[in-house]
Amino acid sequence: MTGEAALEAVIEARCLRKSFAAAEVVRGIDIAVPRAHCFGLLGPNGAGKTTIILMLLGQSPLTSGSLEVFGQPMPAAGRTVRGRMGVVPQIDNLDPDFTVAENLRVYGSYFGLEANVIAARIQNLLEFVALSDRAESRIDTLSGGMKRRLTIARALINDPELLVLDEPTTGLDPQARHMIWARLRDLRQSGKTLVLTTHYMEEAERLCDEVVIIDQGRILAQGSPPALIRQYVEPEVLELRGDKADIGSLFDDVPGSRVETIGDTVYCYMHDAKSVDQLLQRAPKLSFLRRPANLEDVFLAITGRELRD
Amino acid sequence: MTSGYDLRLPRLRSSALTVWRRNVLVWRKLITPSLLINFGEPLLYLLGLGYGLGLFIGDMAGLPYLTFLASGIVASSAMNTASFEGMYSVFTRMVPQRTYESMLATPIDVDDIIAGEMIWCATKSTISGTAILLVASILGAVEEWRAVAAIPVMFVTGLCFAGPAIVMTAISKSYDFFNYYFTLVVTPMFILCGVFYPVSTLPAALQSVVQFLPLTHAVALVRPLMAGLEPQSVLVHLAVLLAYALASYYLAVVLVRRRLVV
Ligand SMILES: Nc1ncnc2c1ncn2[C@@H]1O[C@H](COP(=O)(O)OP(=O)(O)OP(=O)(O)O)[C@@H](O)[C@H]1O
Ligand SMILES: [Mg+2]
């Protein structure tokens, strides 16, 4: 990172650790999130992403290390910091006793905002997340995507400088996901700092200026998505599906290629996938896909392919 | 800190009223059925028990039985209402609804949540107690205007029972647990603390035990106020109720912190 003053850190964690009775789940995390950046926390299930976010909110005391948000120590400065922050939790916790608009109004009151300030924001926020026509709906009549959009609107009611989103698009259809991506890009453009976790590497690649890949509470890799792709995998990938016998030792002689087999699919990472066109003609029964390497390839290369829980 | 307790003294702030206001807004949506229950239940008690039993009993401890019973029911209803709200409703907001989790992402702290909930429980106690007071006065069981002084007593009684109820909520895994508290704590007080008959008729040993139970003190304040008499030892009774409220507030804050701020 360059030493420019513009890169003032909104979040700065040093050697952050968290233990529960059973185990240490965050094991020495160092991160710095500059203002107006979108920062992604990636990692398999149980990696410690939500735990880190709860520490950011001051909802979970640190076991050791230090954590500053807006230059203030957490969790000591929790109340002040949360006033300048918006949170989209992993599990929806909209208030089922209220309608859509009332949810925003009541949540706004938790920040001590004046009723007229809240009222003025509600309309804009509902428009922003395309829920204007559902203002009077009960929460249990909303679809999963609408609930998620409302949760995002709710996180913006205090006009926060920092927005923290824990899996904002999990379980949503492509339409809803694209709409949320567009909104998050708008927010980033408007100068807000974003921190998000996601299991969708495409999402991280589209939105994040920088990501960290965490596993078992440790950072395994850090950087911008294109830099990580350059660093950890070959630029092109050939996916082959078909009989093992047909694939056989097809790639044994391709220089600089790396082959992984998962089930009936072979992933061949290489520098120039065109170079194997001739090879492929020798095995006409194989179906194949040639594509540029992406963040998911990096993620799998770094965290392995075993299932987590 | 991870598995220990955060024992710092809670701080009272205006954010508590924000939590209280949320509950008022929800209550307002269901105001008609709520009030129907608030008025219907005591009407049933006072007409059924007060008139029915009163015919046989006549006077109790120098008061008409209807007045005696009505004042006991005012106090016990404050207890019941706060206990019920502090357990079932608070548990609903804490666990399935995750309402507190959403509040804790804002400048609201556990201190504010518990204070707000206790004030809300006490508000509901006051509403139900006042409803009974009204019904009782319509039935002619209230002596004079002094009875309005029972209204703040209902509030303090509500605070006193809200805290222990929230303590139970903080340590319970499910709603089932609350049955024990009602059976082992609330019902015995309802029966022993002078709601239906004077405490002085209990065996001596039991009388001294009953002096430690807060409902006894709530009844001792409400009864003379409704009967048009001068209440005795007001400060002692209030001190007992407030001591229960404060101690249980602190305990509830510590236990809820441990449950929600992990
Ligand atoms: N309150 C708790 N008590 C004990 N262990 C916990 C607690 N909260 C989380 N853990 C454990 O800490 C580890 C990290 O959990 P965390 O929720 O932070 O993971 P995550 O990266 O958010 O996972 P996911 O992608 O599934 O949401 C897990 O092993 C989890 O079981
Ligand atoms: Mg998580």
Side-chain angles (χ1 to χ4, degrees), chain B:
Chain B
M1 203 162 198
T2 299
S3 58
Y5 293 89
D6 178 355
L7 297 175
R8 280 172 305 161
L9 279 183
R11 288 175 40 190
L12 282 176
R13 307 185 192 86
S14 60
S15 303
L17 293 179
T18 313
V19 176
W20 173 81
R21 234 190 95 240
R22 177 217 168 264
N23 293 337
V24 173
L25 291 174
V26 178
W27 181 79
R28 262 195 359 205
K29 296 185 158 212
L30 297 167
I31 189 162
T32 317
S34 305
L35 286 181
L36 273 180
I37 291 172
N38 283 152
F39 280 98
E41 212 178 68
L43 201 62
L44 205 68
Y45 260 107
L46 295 184
L47 287 178
L49 285 181
Y51 277 136
L53 278 179
L55 267 185
F56 294 96
I57 295 172
D59 280 7
M60 172 89 67
L63 302 175
Y65 193 59
L66 191 61
T67 304
F68 188 92
L69 181 70
S71 54
I73 297 283
V74 164
S76 67
S77 154
M79 165 181 79
N80 270 322
T81 307
S83 304
F84 201 89
E85 189 72 17
M87 287 189 276
Y88 292 93
S89 307
V90 170
F91 189 85
T92 300
R93 293 193 273 276
M94 182 160 72
V95 184
Q97 260 175 231
R98 297 174 168 272
T99 311
Y100 301 155
E101 189 187 270
S102 75
M103 291 174 173
L104 291 174
T106 74
I108 290 176
D109 275 339
V110 171
D111 309 10
D112 309 315
I113 294 175
I114 304 303
E117 289 290 5
M118 282 180 66
I119 296 171
W120 168 242
C121 291
T123 306
K124 277 198 96 172
S125 291
T126 310
I127 295 169
S128 84
T130 308
I132 301 169
L133 191 61
L134 275 172
V135 171
S137 65
I138 292 166
L139 296 178
V142 174
E143 284 307 319
E144 47 169 284
W145 276 105
R146 193 202 302 247
V148 296
I151 293 174
V153 177
M154 297 167 199
F155 190 83
V156 177
T157 307
L159 287 179
C160 157
F161 285 99
I166 298 176
V167 167
M168 289 299 122
T169 304
I171 59 176
S172 78
K173 297 224 181 324
S174 73
Y175 294 101
D176 300 333
F177 191 65
F178 302 143
N179 290 331
Y180 296 111
Y181 182 79
F182 271 104
T183 312
L184 297 174
V185 179
V186 175
T187 309
M189 279 198 249
F190 187 48
I191 292 169
L192 296 174
C193 293
V195 173
F196 298 101
Y197 52 83
V199 169
S200 56
T201 56
L202 289 169
L206 207 46
Q207 274 189 45
S208 35
V209 173
V210 157
Q211 288 311 318
F212 290 97
L213 303 178
L215 186 61
T216 309
H217 299 274
V219 173
L221 287 170
V222 173
R223 182 157 291 146
L225 290 172
M226 281 176 68
L229 304 169
E230 193 69 39
Q232 304 298 308
S233 324
V234 174
L235 289 181
V236 174
H237 298 313
L238 280 179
V240 172
L241 296 176
L242 285 171
Y244 268 99
L246 285 175
S248 59
Y249 171 57
Y250 177 60
L251 190 57
V253 166
V254 170
L255 292 172
V256 172
R257 275 180 191 155
R258 183 176 151 81
R259 183 154 180 172
L260 296 183
V261 183
V262 289

Side-chain angles (χ1 to χ4, degrees), chain A residues 50 90 166-167:
Chain A
T50 299
Q90 180 167 358
D166 198 353
E167 300 191 23

Side-chain angles (χ1 to χ4, degrees), chain A residues 249-294:
Chain A
S249 54
L250 214 49
F251 297 102
D252 284 359
D253 303 327
V254 181
S257 72
R258 189 165 56 81
V259 175
E260 271 186 54
T261 309
I262 290 99
D264 70 343
T265 307
V266 171
Y267 295 84
C268 183
Y269 297 93
M270 57 185 71
H271 286 278
D272 182 8
K274 281 222 183 63
S275 68
V276 293
D277 277 359
Q278 283 190 330
L279 285 176
L280 289 172
Q281 278 160 18
R282 277 193 255 148
K285 274 187 280 179
L286 291 177
S287 63
F288 65 90
L289 167 73
R290 197 165 39 209
R291 60 169 174 81
N294 59 32

Side-chain angles (χ1 to χ4, degrees), chain A residues 20 25 44-51 90 167 199, chain B residues 262:
Chain A
F20 292 111
V25 301
N45 290 132
K49 304 179 297 293
T50 299
T51 307
Q90 180 167 358
E167 300 191 23
H199 289 298
Chain B
V262 289

